[in-house]
Amino acid sequence: MSKNQKIKIRLSGRNIYTDKKNRTIYYDGLTKQGYLIEKKDENKIVFFKNRIVIILFAAILCAGTFLTWPQAALAGVLLFALVEIYYRTSFFKKLQPVTDVDFEKRVSPLQSILAHKSKERTLALAVLYALFAVLIVANAYLEQYSLGLMILSVGLGIVGLYFCILHVIALTRMK
């Protein structure tokens, strides 16, 4: 089997499963419904899975540049609501529902990294996530953000540190 045949899809995480036919399924816990994810839908699901972190990051950047803290919080909440409404009323309706989700076959992020990334790329990502974690907190400190923005920045730093550690663990398990 060639490398291109082996790598079908790059999704992994808490709500990503594979069924008995080796298809990738996104399970929405709110609606208790599984959806078949095809290659063309990957990027939209990646955004949906990471929507909270992306919106928090955007809110922090806005609050640090041209919006006040309450305005950025309101913009973040509104953006989150718009994203949820779009995905639940439009995007998920276009996907094929799946009723037989196999909850035993969850694809973990570590498995995905080991299967789909080279050692060099994994090392580069570990370094970049570590830099992100340090720089987001350093930026908040140097810009003298308010307590709320400082907490959000530290939260994003912790997320960056988590992904750094995940990639370091993957590096130690690679051949």
Side-chain angles (χ1 to χ4, degrees), residues 103-115:
F103 290 105
E104 298 298 317
K105 292 187 177 180
R106 184 174 82 93
V107 181
S108 75
L110 187 59
Q111 289 171 324
S112 179
I113 293 168
L114 290 171

Side-chain angles (χ1 to χ4, degrees), residues 116-126 167 171 174:
H116 304 301
K117 292 183 182 164
S118 68
K119 211 173 203 179
E120 294 80 17
R121 185 173 180 201
T122 304
L123 177 61
L125 285 170
H167 282 78
L171 268 174
M174 286 182 171

Side-chain angles (χ1 to χ4, degrees), residues 16-158:
I16 304 294
Y17 301 90
T18 56
D19 66 0
K20 293 174 176 80
K21 299 174 187 170
N22 221 13
R23 301 178 300 176
T24 301
I25 309 297
Y26 176 81
Y27 182 75
D28 181 26
L30 187 65
T31 61
K32 308 287 189 236
Q33 177 66 52
Y35 298 98
L36 177 64
I37 303 302
E38 296 178 17
K39 188 78 172 162
K40 64 182 173 72
D41 299 321
E42 277 185 9
N43 289 334
K44 289 183 179 180
I45 288 296
V46 168
F47 174 79
F48 183 73
K49 283 179 49 201
N50 298 317
R51 68 196 179 280
I52 295 172
V53 172
I54 293 168
I55 291 169
L56 277 175
F57 189 62
I60 289 172
L61 286 176
C62 289
T65 55
F66 58 89
L67 295 178
T68 65
W69 162 247
Q71 291 171 332
L74 180 61
V77 169
L78 289 175
L79 185 58
F80 180 78
L82 289 173
V83 168
E84 285 293 316
I85 290 168
Y86 166 73
Y87 273 88
R88 300 206 179 275
T89 60
S90 179
F91 180 71
F92 285 146
K93 301 280 186 209
K94 296 176 187 175
L95 299 178
Q96 178 184 349
V98 177
T99 55
D100 58 341
V101 178
D102 186 1
F103 290 105
E104 298 298 317
K105 292 187 177 180
R106 184 174 82 93
V107 181
S108 75
L110 187 59
Q111 289 171 324
S112 179
I113 293 168
L114 290 171
H116 304 301
K117 292 183 182 164
S118 68
K119 211 173 203 179
E120 294 80 17
R121 185 173 180 201
T122 304
L123 177 61
L125 285 170
V127 170
L128 289 173
Y129 280 124
L131 285 172
F132 170 76
V134 170
L135 292 175
I136 193 81
V137 174
N139 181 57
Y141 176 75
L142 292 174
E143 293 295 324
Q144 298 177 344
Y145 283 171
S146 66
L147 180 62
L149 284 175
M150 184 64 80
I151 290 170
L152 287 176
S153 296
V154 169
L156 285 173
I158 291 169

